[in-house]
Amino acid sequence: MEGTIEAVAPGRSGDAVWRAAIDKVLGDPDQPTLVFQPIIDLRRGVVAGYEALSRFAGPPTASPDVWFAAADRLGLAAQLEARVVTAAIAARDRLPAGCFLTVNISPHLMHQPELADVLAAAPDLSRLVLELTEHVQVDDHARLTALLDRLRAVGATVALDDAGSGYSGLQQLALVRPELVKIDRALVDHADRDEVKLALAELLGSYAGRLDAALIAEGIERPEELEAFIRMGVPLGQGWLFGRPSPTWTSLAPELGERIRALADDRSRVDRIASLVERTTAISDSDLGQVPTVFCADPSLEFVAVLDRNDRAVCLVRRQLRSGDSPGETHVLSVSLRASADADVADVATRAMTRPTGTRFDPVVCEDSFGGYAGIVRPERMMLRLAQLTSAPASADSPDRELRLVGAAVRTEE
């Protein structure tokens, strides 16, 4: 946790100090200030997004968590979070191209007028990720999920913070169905030396994958941790190894980007579905009427993907190829299975083959690290790849050995 904490105990005198401090912040339109920490694509070795973090000038001198806890205790948290969300929405308009911005938000405060009004007033929340914290239990989940659905309808993405920190986190995953899931930093810290942590993170990744969510490993500070989570296939990472929070949009050091790509390439050569992705024509869901024209323009085209405003596939349209069907006949297929591009072929094939009979051989929709459409993978191609992997002789020089060598090179250069 960043910053030092000046002990101001809860109670009449302590709360008076905090109320005065928070009132002062709320009275200053430039407070709190925002800094931005990069979130890295662990396959491409580039910045995929940023997290907006609050900074308070004080006094008291305390970490942001302490400020927000004091505001919550005093009934001022909704006002303070509304100030931060407003600033984040404004900062999003200055984002580098192709990046998203996450901002922390407390689920139990989202219906408070101060915060609800800020969210309702934004006509477009695309490229903004609402990162839900779970520090306070939410009682009315139906109300929360209905609100999140409305925010998603105007472009917002939902993330769950600190997943894996407790049983309530698993409940939140099942109820909220986020698009992004942050692995609790306690599971990341020295995970390369702790098989239990790695197993828990892998289990969480499998669970999140079933919900079509992508993982972010938070708190990566050491090259060994980076190596472990790339090897596991976690698509996104955040931590001091990549960059400290900054008032500006920082980029990833070129040499670190190269290391990440080398590690990812070594892992994903044959056993990841990224190598099986088939690029197909994609159109917006507002252009459905153009599907016949698209098929007529390319007689060899079998599938067209229909995407929403966030580039997420909502369905596939298949040209009907069976004999006896009239020319130009098409069928709409719902998306019965999504998988991250770095997912294991065997895992995705198992999930595909356990779908209901009517959808078992439908294509799997492949997504990038932020849930965007990347293409389709046909089940038959996965079966052929599994056959190849099963029959291939074991390599004398394993990928794990190569990863250790690269990790050693990274450490040597520091």
Side-chain angles (χ1 to χ4, degrees):
M1 182 178 293
E2 296 178 62
T4 58
I5 300 177
E6 179 180 287
V8 181
R12 185 170 301 176
S13 60
D15 283 351
V17 171
W18 276 113
R19 179 174 291 275
I22 295 169
D23 284 342
K24 183 177 180 181
V25 167
L26 294 174
D28 184 348
D30 296 325
Q31 288 291 323
T33 57
L34 293 186
V35 292
F36 308 98
Q37 186 173 30
I39 297 171
I40 307 303
D41 184 321
L42 296 184
R43 289 194 308 274
R44 296 185 298 133
V46 297
V47 176
Y50 297 85
E51 180 178 3
L53 300 166
S54 302
R55 291 294 181 263
F56 297 87
T61 302
S63 69
D65 285 351
V66 176
W67 278 84
F68 283 108
D72 200 23
R73 188 172 66 248
L74 297 171
L76 299 172
Q79 297 178 51
L80 193 57
E81 288 202 13
R83 176 69 62 83
V84 174
V85 171
T86 299
I89 291 173
R92 175 203 54 173
D93 296 333
R94 304 189 298 273
L95 270 172
C99 291
F100 59 87
L101 182 66
T102 77
V103 60
N104 289 316
I105 192 165
S106 300
H108 72 289
L109 299 175
M110 292 181 70
H111 289 284
Q112 296 294 320
E114 298 89 346
L115 187 52
D117 289 348
V118 169
L119 295 170
D124 179 12
L125 293 177
S126 57
R127 295 210 294 165
L128 189 72
V129 179
L130 303 177
E131 190 173 318
L132 305 185
T133 60
E134 57 160 331
H135 304 302
V136 177
Q137 184 65 38
V138 176
D139 297 321
D140 192 344
H141 285 100
R143 189 182 184 195
L144 174 63
T145 54
L147 173 58
L148 293 176
D149 286 343
R150 291 198 296 272
L151 296 174
R152 285 182 172 112
V154 293
T157 298
V158 176
L160 188 64
D161 192 20
D162 295 339
S165 60
Y167 177 70
S168 62
L170 297 180
Q171 289 181 311
Q172 289 276 53
L173 267 174
L175 292 165
V176 173
R177 303 294 178 95
E179 288 78 40
L180 293 170
V181 176
K182 274 196 170 181
I183 303 175
D184 182 67
R185 65 183 64 194
L187 294 181
V188 174
D189 182 34
H190 285 82
D192 55 292
R193 301 178 183 175
D194 192 329
E195 290 298 324
V196 173
K197 287 184 177 182
L198 289 177
L200 288 172
E202 191 168 15
L203 179 63
L204 182 61
S206 178
Y207 185 28
R210 293 298 180 97
L211 302 177
D212 297 329
L215 286 186
I216 302 177
E218 184 179 26
I220 295 176
E221 298 185 1
R222 302 164 51 249
E224 297 88 345
E225 293 162 357
L226 171 64
E227 176 184 328
F229 284 99
I230 290 179
R231 186 167 59 243
M232 189 184 298
V234 174
L236 296 166
Q238 180 179 358
W240 286 0
L241 181 64
F242 311 119
R244 301 291 182 101
S246 168
T248 59
W249 311 114
T250 57
S251 57
L252 185 66
E255 61 275 14
L256 185 53
E258 291 175 5
R259 293 297 184 189
I260 290 171
R261 289 188 289 274
L263 290 166
D265 287 347
D266 195 39
R267 176 188 182 273
S268 62
R269 287 175 185 167
V270 294
D271 61 346
R272 306 295 104 184
I273 66 167
S275 62
L276 303 177
V277 170
E278 178 181 337
R279 299 287 180 181
T280 62
T281 300
I283 64 171
S284 168
D285 55 3
S286 62
D287 295 326
L288 271 175
Q290 298 299 315
V291 168
T293 303
V294 173
F295 278 124
C296 287
D298 186 357
S300 66
L301 188 64
E302 185 179 353
F303 292 96
V304 170
V306 181
L307 312 183
D308 64 14
R309 64 191 298 168
N310 292 319
D311 291 327
R312 189 174 173 85
V314 294
C315 67
L316 299 173
V317 181
R318 179 176 61 192
R319 186 203 303 269
Q320 190 51 268
L321 300 177
R322 293 179 301 186
S323 61
D325 290 322
S326 60
E329 184 176 355
T330 60
H331 290 266
V332 175
L333 305 177
S334 61
V335 179
S336 59
L337 180 59
R338 303 174 191 270
S340 173
D342 66 338
D344 182 82
V345 172
D347 177 62
V348 178
T350 300
R351 292 165 61 192
M353 291 300 102
T354 54
R355 288 180 291 183
T357 303
T359 61
R360 191 166 296 164
F361 291 96
D362 286 350
V364 175
V365 168
C366 183
E367 297 182 333
D368 61 25
S369 58
F370 194 51
Y373 177 72
I376 62 171
V377 177
R378 299 173 189 259
E380 59 266 34
R381 294 194 68 193
M382 290 189 289
M383 296 300 106
L384 290 171
R385 177 56 57 83
L386 286 176
Q388 293 168 354
L389 291 173
T390 302
S391 61
S395 170
D397 199 6
S398 71
D400 281 350
R401 177 179 177 277
E402 292 300 322
L403 287 169
R404 289 194 295 272
L405 291 174
V406 173
V410 173
R411 292 191 292 274
T412 301
E413 291 183 1
E414 289 187 319

